[in-house]
Amino acid sequence: MTSPSTAADHAADTRGSGGEIVCEDLVRIYAADGIEVQALQGLNLHVDAGDLVAIVGASGSGKSTLLTILSGLDTPTAGKASVAGVDLLTLGGKQRVAYQRHTVGFVWQQTSRNLLPYLTALENVALPMALAGGQTQSSITERADGLLEMLGVGHCRDRRPSTMSGGEQQRTAIAVAVANSPKVLLADEPTGELDEATSVEVLEMMRTVNAETGVTVLIVTHDPTVSEHVRRTVQIRDGRTSTEVLRRRETDEHGTEHHIADEFAVLDRVGRMQLPQDFVTALELKDRVRLTLEPDHAGVWRDGRHDARRDSTSHDEGDQR
Ligand code: ADP
Ligand code: MG
């Protein structure tokens, strides 16, 4: 995967670590009342600068844990995590504030968590810029207006969140999140409280922001239909990334455009991968499997069945029985 040229400038300084978002063998263990919960069990993820990626997984699979770490609100138990070249395991207090203010922006599921209720949409978008300092009031207002326009909520400028629809609030929340031009925009179930049509609108707005500003976008959700709106979807299961779907458009010889989705298993640095559950069920795989190396692929065999095949060939030396 290559980085779009719009994001090439800030990609250059992170290329050494292999991406804008890098997680390697990330582990987060929660200990509560003497019981340990492994929310992340060695998660691997690389996202290129300028990309728009969805992480999809069932409830409890570790999505929010991952985003809380990437947003700098929580520290992992072990492993590596870096965003835009910032190492999240060694981040000190002051750097953490700067990181949250300038490097990442977030949109949360609860519309009420994203906006301050007593401020208008314009004031909400202006606030992070005012806190960051270094800009005049008029340039802040100009930028806030521009962002609200880009997100199609210019008409909400002087309204408070309580008088806006859920979709309008989330669009405004995206404007707030990108106000200080972060390198990465993180969204945790941003459409979780919205109906289907409004969800689609908000996802399209994520795409607009990604395309117009070059910000890297990571959306986590339990809603598998989100993957229809992004080029790359990573499946998270039991605190690990398991499979990945890449979508592309292809035009055939009659000029008709086709949407093609390719599914891949995620292979980690040491060669581990997870077999999809339907493969495991269909072949009744259990406990251990035999692997065979073929010239252009690898085979996975049920223990018993492959034994039978091997018995009829001459590869018996070294068999442990
Ligand atoms: P998701 O967002 O995919 O639904 P979470 O990241 O919220 O999943 O949770 C993953 C696992 O970690 C779950 O089993 C959850 O119960 C557990 N968990 C999350 N936060 C905490 C916490 N603060 N203390 C203890 N366990 C937690
Ligand atoms: Mg969650």
Side-chain angles (χ1 to χ4, degrees), residues 28-319:
R28 178 64 169 100
I29 300 172
Y30 293 111
D33 304 326
I35 301 168
E36 282 193 350
V37 178
Q38 278 218 20
L40 298 179
Q41 317 196 26
L43 176 134
N44 289 284
L45 178 71
H46 282 235
V47 176
D48 286 336
D51 226 345
L52 169 67
V53 176
I55 297 210
V56 177
S59 173
S61 55
K63 304 181 298 295
S64 293
T65 302
L66 172 65
L67 271 213
T68 316
I69 290 171
L70 295 179
S71 63
L73 295 171
D74 184 32
T75 318
T77 310
K80 275 192 199 166
S82 75
V83 173
V86 177
D87 181 352
L88 297 176
L89 275 93
T90 58
L91 210 55
K94 258 190 196 152
Q95 295 163 301
R96 200 169 283 275
V97 173
Y99 174 77
Q100 290 173 5
R101 196 166 281 166
H102 298 285
T103 311
V104 286
F106 1 88
V107 177
W108 306 105
Q109 172 174 359
Q110 298 85 359
T111 48
S112 57
R113 191 172 166 189
N114 293 314
L115 302 174
L116 288 171
Y118 48 86
L119 297 183
T120 63
L122 187 85
E123 289 164 346
N124 266 287
V125 181
L127 184 64
M129 294 188 264
L131 289 174
Q135 279 190 78
T136 63
Q137 190 56 47
S138 64
S139 73
I140 289 177
T141 305
E142 194 181 326
R143 175 163 168 80
D145 270 323
L147 288 169
L148 290 174
E149 282 302 327
M150 177 172 80
L151 288 150
V153 278
H155 60 284
C156 295
R157 161 182 215 279
D158 298 317
R159 281 154 59 176
R160 292 189 180 171
S162 60
T163 68
M164 292 156 57
S165 72
E168 287 167 342
Q169 289 182 46
Q170 287 307 66
R171 286 165 182 242
T172 306
I174 300 171
V176 173
V178 299
N180 283 335
S181 309
K183 297 199 168 168
V184 173
L185 174 61
L186 303 167
D188 191 355
E189 312 261 8
T191 62
E193 288 185 355
L194 307 176
D195 62 49
E196 205 180 317
T198 315
S199 296
V200 170
E201 272 174 32
V202 169
L203 290 172
E204 288 308 313
M205 283 303 135
M206 292 277 184
R207 252 160 77 139
T208 302
V209 169
N210 170 252
E212 303 258 321
T213 71
V215 65
T216 308
V217 181
L218 186 66
I219 304 172
V220 310
T221 177
H222 68 277
D223 176 7
T225 63
V226 164
S227 67
E228 284 158 30
H229 300 272
V230 301
R231 201 183 60 77
R232 181 175 171 214
T233 307
V234 179
Q235 185 88 34
I236 181 170
R237 210 199 280 159
D238 299 331
R240 256 180 233 194
T241 42
S242 57
T243 55
E244 192 168 323
V245 175
L246 297 183
R247 274 165 206 279
R248 59 198 157 90
R249 287 172 199 189
E250 235 170 51
T251 311
D252 67 17
E253 66 270 27
H254 310 294
T256 314
E257 198 179 65
H258 296 276
H259 292 250
I260 298 169
D262 293 318
E263 185 162 358
F264 300 89
V266 174
L267 193 67
D268 76 9
R269 278 179 310 121
V270 295
R272 277 179 301 226
M273 54 160 280
Q274 188 170 17
L275 287 176
Q277 194 53 47
D278 49 333
F279 285 28
V280 174
T281 311
L283 298 174
E284 295 175 48
L285 301 175
K286 223 176 89 190
D287 299 332
R288 61 183 173 217
V289 293
R290 279 194 196 269
L291 299 178
T292 55
L293 179 62
E294 309 293 340
D296 61 347
H297 70 278
V300 180
W301 305 83
R302 194 165 64 198
D303 198 9
R305 187 195 301 177
H306 192 57
D307 271 351
R309 284 177 145 242
R310 286 169 66 97
D311 286 345
S312 65
T313 66
S314 57
H315 300 106
D316 280 352
E317 331 87 64
D319 256 8

